[in-house]
Amino acid sequence: MSFVTHWEVVPDLNTIPGHDGAESVLAEVPNQVAANSVHSGVGTAVVSGNYGGDSVLMQAESGGVTVPTAETNISADDVEDGIEVISTPQEPCVGMVFATADAAKKYYNSYARHAGFSIRIDSSRESKKTEEKTKYIYVCQRAGVNKKEKVATDGPITEKNIVRERRRDYVERTRCPARMIVRRTPHGQWEVVHFEKDHNHKRVKKFSLTKYLNSHRNIPPEEKEFIRFLHGCNITSTRAFQIMADLYGGIDNCPYTEGDVKNLRVEYRAEYKCKDMKKTLDYFSELQKEDPDFYYSYTLDEEDRVENLFWVDSAARKSYELYGDCISFDATYLTNAYNMPFAPFIGIDRNGITIQLGCGFLRNEKTESYVWLFSEFKNAMGGKDPLNIITDQDFAMKAAIGVVFETSTHRNCRWHIMENARKVLGQFLNGKEELSDDFKDCVSFSFSPAEFESKWQAMLDKHEINGDQRFEHLYEMRKCWVPAYFMQRFFPFLQTTARSEGFNAVLKRYVNPKNSIYNFVQQYKKIQQRIFSKQDLQEVVTVTKVPHYLTGHPMERQMKEVYTRKLFNVFQQELQLSSSYYVVRVEGDSLLDVVPYRSCPEELYGPRTFRVTAAKSDGVYSCTCCKFQWDGVLCCHILKVFDTLAIREVPERCILPRWSAEILADGGVEVLGESLQAPEISSSGKHIVRYSRICTSFNKIIVPHMGDDEGYSIVSKHVAAMQAKLNELKKRKASNVALEPQSGQVGQSSGGAVASKSKKPRKKATFDIYRS
């Protein structure tokens, strides 16, 4: 590339006689355009020169960056795809003075980018008296020589001493002489004492490619904070880079690469190494000050490392008082960066929404770990056992539940059992379609223990598999997982641990398992807020919107006022299914058979007949399908009997209060007496939103005009004027802060609930990160 350039230096607005502002200077330099180095954050440089016949020291903001005039000649190599590439800024020269060493480095780096090479610090010198830097040598990245690879000479090469390394390309150092040396002056400034321009290697010719050179791949501080924000939201590195590239108007304009974003996120993850757990416990302590009912507990091992952790907030503790009748627990789905299993306690609120009732991390999945976790959960919930609990098939978990939750009904997840059975019986059942159907009928369509026992024995006899150990093993565990043994227990819409697994799937969208525990608990809080938002939305739907009625039955209008909207929809479905049946009286109005016309569309009911027992005077009804007992909602068979007996409204005893639409004192209840204020975005959030908006808007405005000289000149003029005004504002604010008196520090007393301590109180906790 050949450059024939005339340079004009933008002077300090206050040092030039006859010029008192940005507009007057710009009027004197109509052809001035803003170089790319204006955006490079270069510091302040002072250059000797003449302006208007007077010899002055001219100071330019953004590092004394000089800019080319319209007389610049551009060769054919300066044009890429029809877009002009800005010519190289003024090369450094001996005698040039900078305010700081950093400003000198940035100036030389800006020059290097336009000249097609990268720089690094070769060496520096410190003063023995003040221990401050007095000299820096900035060199081309290809200065010096590469380190020689060490070759093992101690014996023959064997398989043991061959170490696989990732293949990497490297920058070849060619003893390039190009450099700039700056020295600190007695006045505290930095002066260029030596400059060598020539290189002995090829340089990058296309300006658009120079951003990939090491010293030019810089992420500005503001954008680092924005990427940190995206990292906290579990946005992947690829998506984060795409967002930043869009803010720049395209990947070509972004001054760094996706790899740089990935490396930055690795740094963020490494910030909490060796202090992650301490940071987490400090965070819990702060939450306790804000929320006195926030509860957390932990245990330490022999080396004072945290091995188990449990926490639950006040909203979950209040929700448990209302919805502790059935919980799901699963510790097999997700582990964190330290391979500690994540163990959430999951419940269901009156809207049918999955809610959090506590969370834990365990060092291992042994019985004693589960005993500790369940004990802490029980302590946090006022010593109240859950009425029913469903888990996966884990013997350590089962043993711990028997020790801690003595009054709870425990069942295993049917899906997990069937999956394990499929692994064992898969080949055996392959091609035996009739046996597979009978096996499924036994497990999924038996409505009482007696019916299951009868069907099971019939299956064994029919297919001659009596004594098969695989089936005997499943039969021995039948009371832990077969639904027929739990028909009278309350497991609403919860025949498996799908609730827990669904929650873990949601958690994975918010949390990267590679991140720290501190990041994990922060994201956990965000998920809690998301749940509150879904609850509020359902409350609004229930109160303000009218559903689409499917029938003209008075019960449908009645239950619309009683149930939450989600449960009303379930009731509507059962009411609609009731049209598939007719009623046969067995013993007058007290015992009735509900017979399908052909087959019920609901697979669970199918073509079978169900028997309903009715006590009309007491308002008590029961069906052999047991839906009211396990889901808390009337089945279509009882609803058909209501229609036959001319019952126009659902009796009160057939309405489960936990599904009521009435306002309950759950975790989302309003606090009376609070002032109603519109929520406002935080100051950091406001900064991120404004920065993103300005970047996007600025790109949309200027990109169409970058190929036009006149448009480019207009944009450059306003950028320079805006920069001058912002620098003036910055100085004014700095001077105002310096004049303000320092306010005293006000001490704060610590408060809140006391966290549960380890059972080793004499040990001093160091909270080192868990190392496997």
Side-chain angles (χ1 to χ4, degrees):
M1 300 171 73
S2 61
F3 299 95
V4 181
T5 307
H6 299 282
W7 298 98
E8 294 182 4
V9 181
V10 182
D12 184 356
L13 305 180
N14 298 318
T15 59
I16 305 173
H19 297 281
D20 56 357
E23 295 181 358
S24 59
V25 174
L26 290 171
E28 294 292 332
V29 193
N31 293 323
Q32 175 181 321
V33 293
N36 271 9
S37 47
V38 170
H39 304 285
S40 63
V42 182
T44 301
V46 181
V47 188
S48 299
N50 291 306
Y51 192 90
D54 297 324
S55 178
V56 295
L57 283 177
M58 296 179 293
Q59 179 177 345
E61 297 296 340
S62 293
V65 175
T66 54
V67 294
T69 68
E71 297 178 29
T72 301
N73 294 330
I74 304 175
S75 68
D77 291 335
D78 297 322
V79 179
E80 298 179 19
D81 299 327
I83 301 176
E84 286 189 359
V85 178
I86 299 175
S87 299
T88 309
Q90 181 185 17
E91 66 183 35
C93 59
V94 174
M96 186 177 285
V97 178
F98 296 89
T100 63
D102 189 54
K105 179 185 176 183
K106 288 181 178 179
Y107 187 88
Y108 187 46
N109 193 46
S110 176
Y111 161 77
R113 181 174 185 186
H114 290 79
F117 67 98
S118 178
I119 71 166
R120 59 183 173 84
I121 298 177
D122 183 59
S123 62
S124 60
R125 181 180 297 173
E126 285 186 356
S127 170
K128 294 183 179 179
K129 294 182 179 180
T130 62
E131 297 184 352
E132 293 180 347
K133 299 289 184 182
T134 59
K135 180 182 177 181
Y136 281 100
I137 301 177
Y138 305 112
V139 298
C140 173
Q141 187 182 15
R142 302 183 72 171
V145 295
N146 297 99
K147 293 182 180 180
K148 293 183 178 180
E149 294 185 2
K150 293 183 179 180
V151 180
T153 58
D154 51 347
I157 297 177
T158 63
E159 187 177 350
K160 290 184 178 180
N161 59 29
I162 294 179
V163 179
R164 282 193 173 187
E165 294 184 359
R166 186 171 63 178
R167 185 175 65 185
R168 293 190 181 194
D169 295 335
Y170 62 93
V171 175
E172 182 185 9
R173 296 188 178 182
T174 62
R175 300 181 187 273
C176 179
R179 65 189 56 218
M180 184 180 83
I181 304 175
V182 295
R183 194 189 304 273
R184 189 183 180 93
T185 68
H187 301 292
Q189 297 175 320
W190 293 80
E191 181 181 359
V192 178
V193 296
H194 178 78
F195 172 70
E196 182 64 44
K197 174 184 177 181
D198 296 330
H199 298 261
N200 62 1
H201 56 85
K202 292 182 179 180
R203 288 175 284 168
V204 178
K205 291 186 177 182
K206 287 187 176 182
F207 180 80
S208 60
L209 300 181
T210 58
K211 70 175 184 178
Y212 298 110
L213 301 178
N214 284 352
S215 66
H216 308 309
R217 290 165 61 171
N218 298 321
I219 303 179
E222 297 84 0
E223 294 174 31
K224 285 185 177 181
E225 288 304 311
F226 188 28
I227 294 172
R228 182 188 290 273
F229 172 79
L230 298 177
H231 172 73
C233 295
N234 199 33
I235 303 297
T236 64
S237 300
T238 300
R239 291 291 302 126
F241 176 70
Q242 187 62 53
I243 291 171
M244 301 311 300
D246 288 346
L247 294 177
Y248 273 96
I251 293 178
D252 292 340
N253 301 327
C254 192
Y256 43 86
T257 66
E258 182 179 340
D260 297 327
V261 175
K262 289 182 179 179
N263 292 336
L264 184 62
R265 296 189 71 203
V266 170
E267 292 179 15
Y268 291 154
R269 293 191 190 104
E271 286 180 355
Y272 299 108
K273 279 189 176 180
C274 300
K275 57 181 181 180
D276 182 19
M277 197 61 72
K278 183 179 185 304
K279 184 75 173 177
T280 301
L281 296 177
D282 290 343
Y283 177 67
F284 283 162
S285 180
E286 290 299 318
L287 289 179
Q288 271 192 339
K289 294 176 182 178
E290 301 173 6
D291 179 6
D293 289 328
F294 181 86
Y295 181 96
Y296 73 97
S297 180
Y298 55 90
T299 61
L300 306 177
D301 62 11
E302 292 76 8
E303 299 179 10
D304 292 338
R305 299 176 302 180
V306 173
E307 60 179 356
N308 299 313
L309 179 67
F310 170 75
W311 74 95
V312 59
D313 58 23
S314 61
R317 297 175 76 179
K318 292 176 182 176
S319 295
Y320 183 78
E321 296 176 6
L322 299 167
Y323 311 120
D325 43 18
C326 180
I327 66 172
S328 173
F329 179 81
D330 181 18
T332 64
Y333 198 71
L334 180 68
T335 57
N336 63 10
Y338 316 115
N339 293 321
M340 298 176 71
F342 169 62
F345 294 87
I346 302 300
I348 308 170
D349 76 349
R350 66 176 180 268
N351 296 296
I353 295 174
T354 299
I355 58 175
Q356 303 172 147
L357 298 175
C359 178
F361 279 111
L362 302 175
R363 174 74 63 86
N364 54 56
E365 296 183 74
K366 295 181 179 179
T367 300
E368 51 267 28
S369 297
Y370 285 124
V371 168
W372 176 86
L373 181 64
F374 295 152
S375 298
E376 291 302 322
F377 176 82
K378 188 173 180 177
N379 290 338
M381 302 307 179
K384 178 183 176 183
D385 289 346
L387 193 62
N388 302 289
I389 181 170
I390 184 170
T391 70
D392 67 304
Q393 186 184 10
D394 187 284
F395 295 107
M397 197 182 296
K398 178 180 179 180
I401 289 174
V403 172
V404 181
F405 300 143
E406 298 176 0
T407 63
S408 300
T409 298
H410 174 223
R411 65 171 290 188
N412 291 136
C413 169
R414 180 181 62 185
W415 183 85
H416 281 100
I417 301 290
M418 295 294 281
E419 279 297 300
N420 293 333
R422 191 173 290 112
K423 294 176 184 177
V424 178
L425 297 173
Q427 292 183 350
F428 180 74
L429 294 176
N430 188 26
K432 299 180 176 67
E433 186 175 348
E434 190 175 1
L435 174 59
S436 297
D437 292 341
D438 289 343
F439 179 71
K440 180 181 179 182
D441 183 57
C442 283
V443 174
S444 301
F445 301 105
S446 296
F447 288 87
S448 68
E451 182 181 358
F452 172 78
E453 299 279 354
S454 175
K455 285 184 176 180
W456 186 268
Q457 188 58 50
M459 178 188 70
L460 298 180
D461 295 339
K462 177 181 178 181
H463 299 282
E464 299 180 351
I465 51 176
N466 283 286
D468 190 301
Q469 293 183 355
R470 294 164 294 188
F471 285 93
E472 284 185 353
H473 177 67
L474 291 174
Y475 181 75
E476 289 171 359
M477 298 189 302
R478 66 192 183 283
K479 294 183 179 180
C480 297
W481 65 279
V482 176
Y485 289 88
F486 301 95
M487 299 303 286
Q488 301 295 326
R489 307 300 301 183
F490 186 66
F491 287 97
F493 318 109
L494 198 67
Q495 300 302 312
T496 68
T497 57
R499 290 272 177 177
S500 295
E501 292 165 6
F503 175 74
N504 278 311
V506 171
L507 194 65
K508 275 194 170 183
R509 292 199 295 267
Y510 280 77
V511 179
N512 188 329
K514 296 179 182 179
N515 291 352
S516 64
I517 289 182
Y518 175 64
N519 175 265
F520 189 101
V521 297
Q522 285 184 313
Q523 299 306 316
Y524 180 88
K525 185 177 180 180
K526 292 180 181 179
I527 297 175
Q528 186 79 303
Q529 294 169 347
R530 177 176 179 266
I531 291 173
F532 291 157
S533 177
K534 290 179 67 176
Q535 288 177 324
D536 291 341
L537 178 61
Q538 286 301 316
E539 297 291 346
V540 171
V541 170
T542 300
V543 173
T544 63
K545 293 189 176 181
V546 178
H548 174 68
Y549 294 110
L550 303 179
T551 70
H553 204 292
M555 280 190 296
E556 191 174 11
R557 268 69 178 175
Q558 175 201 3
M559 301 314 290
K560 180 262 178 184
E561 302 297 331
V562 174
Y563 281 149
T564 59
R565 185 54 45 84
K566 282 286 185 72
L567 269 295
F568 174 72
N569 293 337
V570 174
F571 174 82
Q572 274 189 313
Q573 183 180 8
E574 293 295 323
L575 187 62
Q576 197 171 22
L577 290 174
S578 67
S579 62
S580 301
Y581 294 90
Y582 64 92
V583 174
V584 176
R585 284 178 167 84
V586 179
E587 294 181 6
D589 291 345
S590 61
L591 195 64
L592 307 96
D593 281 346
V594 183
V595 186
Y597 289 110
R598 304 180 84 178
S599 179
C600 181
E602 173 60 43
E603 183 184 11
L604 180 64
Y605 302 147
R608 69 183 295 157
T609 297
F610 292 90
R611 178 160 290 183
V612 175
T613 302
K616 187 174 181 181
S617 57
D618 297 329
V620 178
Y621 300 83
S622 65
C623 179
T624 53
C625 75
C626 300
K627 183 174 180 62
F628 185 74
Q629 285 86 342
W630 88 62
D631 278 347
V633 179
L634 288 173
C635 63
C636 56
H637 317 112
I638 294 178
L639 294 178
K640 187 64 180 181
V641 169
F642 284 171
D643 190 47
T644 302
L645 301 180
I647 297 173
R648 297 291 177 257
E649 290 189 352
V650 177
E652 186 177 351
R653 297 183 67 173
C654 294
I655 300 173
L656 199 65
R658 67 115 56 214
W659 300 131
S660 172
E662 296 178 4
I663 301 289
L664 300 176
D666 61 6
V669 69
E670 281 192 17
V671 179
L672 297 178
E674 286 187 353
S675 58
L676 300 178
Q677 296 180 348
E680 294 184 356
I681 192 171
S682 64
S683 57
S684 60
K686 195 176 295 184
H687 175 273
I688 290 172
V689 171
R690 287 177 174 176
Y691 179 78
S692 303
R693 186 179 298 167
I694 287 295
C695 287
T696 305
S697 301
F698 192 75
N699 276 314
K700 287 182 179 179
I701 294 172
I702 68 169
V703 167
H705 304 286
M706 289 299 95
D708 176 62
D709 289 343
E710 185 178 359
Y712 183 79
S713 179
I714 292 172
V715 171
S716 302
K717 172 182 176 181
H718 286 283
V719 167
M722 178 177 63
Q723 189 175 30
K725 291 182 179 180
L726 291 176
N727 285 329
E728 183 181 347
L729 175 64
K730 183 178 179 180
K731 291 178 181 178
R732 188 169 68 249
K733 286 185 175 181
S735 61
N736 292 339
V737 171
L739 295 175
E740 290 180 359
Q742 296 294 328
S743 58
Q745 296 289 337
V746 180
Q748 293 182 347
S749 60
S750 60
V754 179
S756 173
K757 298 296 183 182
S758 166
K759 294 183 179 179
K760 306 168 187 176
R762 294 183 180 179
K763 282 194 174 235
K764 181 179 179 182
T766 58
F767 310 124
D768 286 343
I769 201 75
Y770 166 60
R771 301 183 297 274
S772 58

